[in-house]
């Protein structure tokens, strides 16, 4: 096929290419780095999200989660909060799979790469830069939406005590800022990307930190156990933060560990949420919760 027309097609319809089959993993092959920033791409980068997305495994998890909540909790508003959280995670799986596996989905005869001054191989395939930018923006927005949606879920579990409604509104406002920066601006690079990362870090550290302070403030052992969710997410967040300092890995690097703990955190959060709806950790009577 003629490569010269590909860039036009990509700019017109960033969702392409859909029909192509993913290339099999070659243990000896070196995958091209990202076109956006020349970042090295380990052999198994994106393998977990690809499996979750293409086998529909994560879709089945979210359906089972929402169905369980709907059966356990008669409140329609509570179920809607869980549906929003599930949709945000599905959005994240979709965006992350495409972002990290574009080099495998692309037909091999369309690939072109070159090396930079540090001898790092990166993609120069026509249109790849625009596609990576498209999926990166969706990836970071989905992360912020997941953090806010999950925050709303656990505020609901704590009956919005301790000014959690105000905290949830601020978190939602931060997500709105991320959306305005990432989806409205043409390229998510430089200072804009740093601002988005800082907002996401604030959502995780400050807001979830306050949420779990509230879990302790309830002074209820059944509520305190839910703090474990934060510690499941934490190793992944640390790996992502330390990624620039850890160097290059050929097969599995800190970003792959980040994916593992993030989706483990999503799963544990959903599991604990179902348990909490079956056996609520907090009971409220006449406006008094304990």
């Amino acid at each position: 096929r003629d490569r010269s027309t590909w860039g036009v097609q990509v700019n017109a319809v960033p969702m392409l290419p859909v029909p192509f089959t993913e290339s099999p993993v070659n243990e000896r092959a070196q995958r091209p780095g990202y076109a956006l920033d020349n970042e090295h791409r380990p052999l198994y980068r994106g393998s977990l999200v690809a499996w979750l997305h293409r086998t529909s495994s994560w879709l089945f998890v979210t359906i089972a989660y929402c169905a369980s909540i709907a059966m356990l909790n008669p409140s329609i508003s509570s179920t809607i909060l869980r549906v929003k959280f599930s949709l945000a995670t599905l959005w994240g799986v979709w965006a992350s799979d495409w972002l990290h596996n574009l080099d495998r989905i692309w037909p091999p005869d369309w690939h072109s790469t070159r090396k930079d001054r540090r001898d790092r191989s990166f993609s120069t395939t026509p249109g790849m830069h625009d596609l990576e930018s498209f999926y990166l923006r969706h990836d970071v927005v989905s992360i912020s939406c997941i953090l806010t949606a999950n925050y709303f879920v656990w505020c609901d579990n704590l009956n919005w005590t301790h000014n959690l409604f105000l905290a949830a509104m601020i978190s939602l406002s931060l997500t709105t800022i991320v959306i305005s920066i990432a989806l409205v601006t043409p390229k998510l690079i430089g200072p804009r990307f740093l601002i988005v990362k800082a907002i996401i870090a604030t959502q995780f550290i400050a807001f979830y930190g306050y949420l779990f302070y509230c879990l302790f403030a309830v002074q209820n052992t059944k509520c305190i156990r839910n703090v474990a969710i934060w510690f499941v997410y934490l190793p992944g967040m640390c790996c992502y933060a330390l990624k620039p300092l850890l160097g290059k890995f050929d097969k599995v690097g800190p970003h792959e560990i980040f994916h593992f703990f993030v989706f483990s955190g999503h799963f544990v959060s959903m599991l604990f949420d179902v348990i909490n709806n079956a056996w609520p950790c907090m009971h409220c009577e006449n406006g008094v919760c304990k």
Side-chain angles (χ1 to χ4, degrees):
R1 302 188 184 186
D2 181 11
R3 294 188 187 186
S4 62
T5 61
W6 177 246
V8 176
Q9 294 175 11
V10 169
N11 291 330
V13 188
M15 300 292 287
L16 294 175
V18 174
F20 305 124
T21 304
E22 182 178 356
S23 304
V25 176
N26 184 343
E27 292 283 350
R28 296 182 179 179
Q30 181 182 5
R31 297 175 66 184
Y34 295 91
L36 279 174
D37 56 4
N38 299 3
E39 181 187 344
H40 173 70
R41 194 188 324 241
L43 182 63
Y44 291 104
R45 172 69 57 85
S47 295
L48 175 61
V49 288
W51 181 79
L52 292 173
H53 180 208
R54 302 181 197 192
T55 62
S56 297
S57 299
W58 193 251
L59 175 63
F60 293 137
V61 168
T62 56
I63 290 174
Y65 167 57
C66 292
S68 299
I69 295 297
M71 290 187 293
L72 292 169
N73 193 331
S75 172
I76 296 177
S77 60
S78 293
T79 301
I80 290 175
L81 291 178
R82 276 69 179 181
V83 171
K84 289 180 178 179
F85 174 44
S86 298
L87 290 175
T89 62
L90 287 169
W91 184 13
V93 170
W94 168 81
S96 188
D97 179 17
W98 279 101
L99 172 63
H100 297 301
N101 293 302
L102 276 172
D103 62 311
R104 288 180 173 169
I105 299 168
W106 218 280
D109 60 332
W110 281 11
H111 271 298
S112 60
T113 61
R114 68 181 178 86
K115 293 188 176 183
D116 62 9
R117 295 177 180 178
R118 299 181 184 179
D119 199 38
R120 298 179 301 183
S121 174
F122 66 98
S123 176
T124 57
T125 305
M128 184 70 82
H129 188 282
D130 292 336
L131 272 175
E132 283 187 9
S133 177
F134 174 81
Y135 289 113
L136 174 63
R137 287 183 283 135
H138 280 268
D139 188 43
V140 297
V141 170
S142 70
I143 293 172
S144 183
C145 287
I146 288 168
L147 289 170
T148 293
N150 200 17
Y151 197 78
F152 270 71
V153 166
W154 284 100
C155 289
D156 182 59
N157 280 330
L158 289 177
N159 292 286
W160 304 92
T161 58
H162 298 87
N163 296 315
L164 282 173
F165 181 78
L166 176 61
M169 289 299 103
I170 296 174
S171 180
L172 180 61
S173 300
L174 291 176
T175 294
T176 304
I177 295 173
V178 170
I179 292 172
S180 65
I181 294 175
L183 294 186
V184 175
T185 56
K187 293 182 180 180
L188 189 61
I189 56 175
R192 290 192 294 269
F193 199 14
L194 291 177
I195 292 172
V196 167
K197 286 182 176 181
I199 291 174
I200 291 174
T202 300
Q203 287 181 288
F204 178 73
I205 297 171
F207 286 85
Y208 277 74
Y210 178 69
L211 176 64
F212 294 126
Y213 160 77
C214 294
L215 287 170
F216 280 105
V218 174
Q219 295 182 348
N220 185 319
T221 305
K222 291 182 180 179
C223 285
I224 293 174
R225 69 189 177 193
N226 295 307
V227 175
I229 298 167
W230 193 80
F231 288 101
V232 176
Y233 280 116
L234 186 59
M237 297 299 182
C238 291
C239 283
Y240 186 86
L242 295 173
K243 187 170 68 168
L245 305 177
L246 297 178
K248 185 173 72 173
F249 294 82
D250 292 332
K251 293 186 178 181
V252 177
H255 204 105
E256 290 66 63
I257 298 173
F258 164 73
H259 281 163
F260 174 78
F261 281 104
V262 163
F263 283 97
S264 296
H266 297 342
F267 180 80
V268 171
S269 180
M270 291 175 179
L271 177 62
F272 279 32
D273 186 27
V274 171
I275 293 172
N276 190 74
N277 276 268
W279 301 280
C281 72
M282 179 183 288
H283 297 277
C284 296
E285 294 182 4
N286 301 321
V288 178
C289 299
K290 59 181 181 178

